[in-house]
Amino acid sequence: MRALVVDDSAVIRTVLTRILAGLGFEVVSAVNGKEALEKLEVCKRPDLTLVDWNMPEMNGYEFIRAVRADTRWRDMPIMMVTTETEMEQVVRALAAGANEYLMKPFTPEMVQEKLAILGIAQG
Amino acid sequence: MTVQASDFRFLADFMRDAAAIVLEPGKEYLVDSRLAPVASQAGFSGISALVQELRRSTHSPLAQKVIDAMTTNETSFFRDAAPYQHLRKAVLPALIEARRNERALSIWCAAASSGQEPYSMLMMMREEFPQLANWNVRFLATDISQEMLQRCRAGTYSQLEVNRGLPAPLLVKYFTKRGIDWQIDERLRSAIEWREFNLAGRAWLGLPSFDLIMLRNVMIYFDLQTKRSILANMRKVLRPDGYLFLGTAETTLNIDERFQSEQAQSSCYRVRAA
Ligand SMILES: C[S@@+](CC[C@H](N)C(=O)[O-])C[C@H]1O[C@@H](n2cnc3c(N)ncnc32)[C@H](O)[C@@H]1O
């Protein structure tokens, strides 16, 4: 199983990578939407993409829209990483094509629960 | 603070008589942690003083508060994947087929806790079986705890509660943000009939018959005799071709052999043909 983690915060990237690796995922990360799109072109298709909302150059919303506009990635599971105060963004992210959200601060169990909702077996 | 032995024995008897809940020796910590807040809220100096008052009357609002506090209400939206999967894939399609002439369905959620289970079922039915909108669906949800029923009726959940098990598309479709909480739509709240019902009590005659009963994660609290009598009563209110779900760790095995496992993974049972 492969995961793509898109976040401009090195801390979040590290934490998510560690959790996902612990669940058996091979993890690729990117610092913004633009880099994530580049990684999608060259890496194997991820089974799950986790994406932050506020990022320089290309934010989460723009990234999701770009991904969904491309038939290759139309049904690739995407999870928004968000905070309690940003819940309105989840509504917009879902409208743009995200499948789920993960709320900060998260635990490995919370990530597992969301994987179960998305019907993604662990790696 | 630790509860005195005589008070613990009294509380254990009280919980057994009032709710058939078994409080074994060793559960003193549970009494301490659950009842200390009730005692101080009601203005008692401690658990001892509360028990003293309880000894005078076990049919008071205080007694109800004690029952509320001592029951475990742990639940979540779409708790356990297997039963919901089985409902979606097998049970509801079969019932819809079997009842296609009457176009009526009756469902009972018998330990509703704070409401996540009945609301999960209702959302699933709206999403996956929209044809039921034209059916006569009777959805009863009960619990022994009045406090829990109040929560069910309010249909208001914290961010933490909606983070657990509830798919994001259902959150944005059926809930409205109210301050820091989320409230489920009034149409869903009013589609369920909420009632107080003690599974270990005698009010069974007042119940209609059901096509589908959820009796999940509540039998664990009862002794064998209470389990037997509850399952015997369940057989009376379950239609002959109906379905009973227990918690995924629970079973009718060695309790009531008239039930037979329909699907083990989801703890789904049916009554054996005579
Ligand atoms: C752990 S919750 C189960 C909630 C839900 N069915 C689930 O599986 O997630 C158990 C519930 O059973 C209720 N309960 C305990 N004793 C009961 C009784 N004698 N009659 C009816 N409900 C009872 C409690 O109030 C509590 O809300």
Side-chain angles (χ1 to χ4, degrees):
Chain A
M1 299 291 271
R2 275 177 298 273
L4 172 62
V5 171
V6 193
D7 204 308
D8 58 336
S9 147
V11 176
I12 297 287
R13 282 201 308 274
T14 309
V15 173
L16 273 176
T17 301
R18 213 170 279 160
I19 290 176
L20 289 164
L23 295 172
F25 282 85
E26 200 180 293
V27 186
V28 172
S29 65
V31 296
N32 60 42
K34 194 159 159 276
E35 193 189 24
L37 286 178
E38 287 162 17
K39 295 253 159 108
L40 277 178
E41 290 293 343
V42 296
C43 301
K44 284 199 186 131
R45 186 183 196 274
D47 301 285
L48 170 70
T49 297
L50 287 123
V51 58
D52 184 25
W53 188 257
N54 295 311
M55 292 178 293
E57 292 207 55
M58 184 188 250
N59 67 28
Y61 179 74
E62 291 159 346
F63 170 75
I64 293 168
R65 297 210 30 186
V67 165
R68 290 307 188 220
D70 192 317
T71 50
R72 288 174 293 169
W73 302 315
R74 196 151 277 170
D75 46 32
M76 180 178 82
I78 301 180
M79 192 144 78
M80 260 286 294
V81 180
T82 185
T83 62
E84 186 160 349
T85 53
E86 296 172 338
M87 275 306 287
E88 345 59 75
Q89 295 172 351
V90 169
V91 179
R92 286 186 65 205
L94 288 182
N99 305 92
E100 254 310 321
Y101 68 92
L102 175 68
M103 187 151 293
K104 288 183 269 195
F106 43 78
T107 60
E109 291 71 39
M110 286 163 72
V111 176
Q112 264 176 303
E113 277 186 13
K114 295 295 184 181
L115 291 178
I117 290 179
L118 289 172
I120 299 175
Q122 285 166 36
Chain B
M1 173 169 31
T2 53
V3 59
Q4 284 171 20
S6 61
D7 287 346
F8 182 76
R9 273 196 305 277
F10 174 82
L11 285 166
D13 288 348
F14 167 68
M15 286 307 294
R16 189 199 57 223
D17 298 342
I21 286 172
V22 187
L23 268 184
E24 278 148 356
K27 290 285 170 79
E28 285 83 359
Y29 70 92
L30 205 63
V31 170
D32 282 340
S33 64
R34 298 279 176 81
L35 293 189
V38 177
S40 71
Q41 217 177 28
F44 293 104
S45 58
I47 292 175
S48 236
L50 178 147
V51 169
Q52 211 173 354
E53 179 61 33
L54 202 59
R55 283 177 196 270
R56 270 196 280 180
S57 164
T58 48
H59 295 280
S60 57
L62 179 70
Q64 180 66 44
K65 285 213 183 86
V66 170
I67 296 174
D68 282 346
M70 287 309 301
T71 45
T72 301
N73 308 115
E74 168 70 14
T75 189
S76 61
F77 288 104
F78 295 96
R79 179 179 190 172
D80 304 319
Y84 287 97
Q85 173 86 346
H86 192 54
L87 279 171
R88 180 184 297 130
K89 290 265 146 68
V91 171
L92 285 167
L95 282 173
I96 289 171
E97 172 62 19
R99 303 282 181 269
R100 66 179 186 281
N101 293 328
E102 306 133 79
R103 298 166 79 77
L105 214 52
S106 56
I107 300 171
W108 179 24
C109 200
S113 189
S114 36
Q116 284 92 328
E117 179 176 88
Y119 283 134
S120 298
M121 292 174 70
L122 195 58
M123 283 186 278
M124 186 186 81
M125 285 160 65
R126 301 245 160 154
E127 292 293 305
E128 311 271 336
F129 307 98
Q131 67 270 40
L132 289 177
N134 304 315
W135 283 41
N136 178 10
V137 177
R138 177 161 190 199
F139 202 137
L140 176 69
T142 62
D143 200 282
I144 195 175
S145 160
Q146 285 175 6
E147 190 186 331
M148 284 301 119
L149 288 166
Q150 260 172 32
R151 287 214 52 200
C152 289
R153 291 194 184 97
T156 303
Y157 299 95
S158 69
Q159 184 69 56
L160 223 61
E161 288 170 317
V162 301
N163 282 350
R164 293 197 53 202
L166 182 64
L170 297 183
L171 174 66
V172 302
K173 182 164 174 187
Y174 292 108
F175 290 75
T176 312
K177 189 125 206 227
R178 302 245 185 264
I180 55 167
D181 293 330
W182 294 84
Q183 186 174 38
I184 197 161
D185 284 0
E186 144 68 20
R187 271 173 306 166
L188 274 74
R189 279 182 275 143
S190 59
I192 299 177
E193 186 186 334
W194 307 100
R195 251 206 259 166
E196 186 183 332
F197 186 85
N198 181 357
L199 287 162
R202 299 172 194 282
W204 290 79
L205 283 177
L207 291 174
S209 62
F210 297 98
D211 301 304
L212 170 59
I213 299 175
M214 306 302 273
L215 180 65
R216 303 190 64 228
N217 302 302
V218 59
M219 295 275 271
I220 30 173
Y221 307 117
F222 304 141
D223 59 25
L224 183 63
Q225 198 190 336
T226 309
K227 285 182 185 154
R228 286 224 160 97
S229 97
I230 291 174
L231 285 178
N233 280 319
M234 284 293 169
R235 275 194 272 112
K236 289 180 200 149
V237 296
L238 188 62
R239 295 243 182 109
D241 60 347
Y243 298 81
L244 171 76
F245 281 81
L246 301 183
T248 44
E250 299 168 325
T251 173
T252 59
L253 211 70
N254 301 325
I255 304 173
D256 188 325
E257 302 312 328
R258 293 284 310 281
F259 278 102
Q260 95 186 35
S261 169
E262 202 263 338
Q263 209 250 10
Q265 215 195 356
S266 59
S267 276
C268 177
Y269 295 86
R270 306 188 76 176
V271 178
R272 245 178 251 282

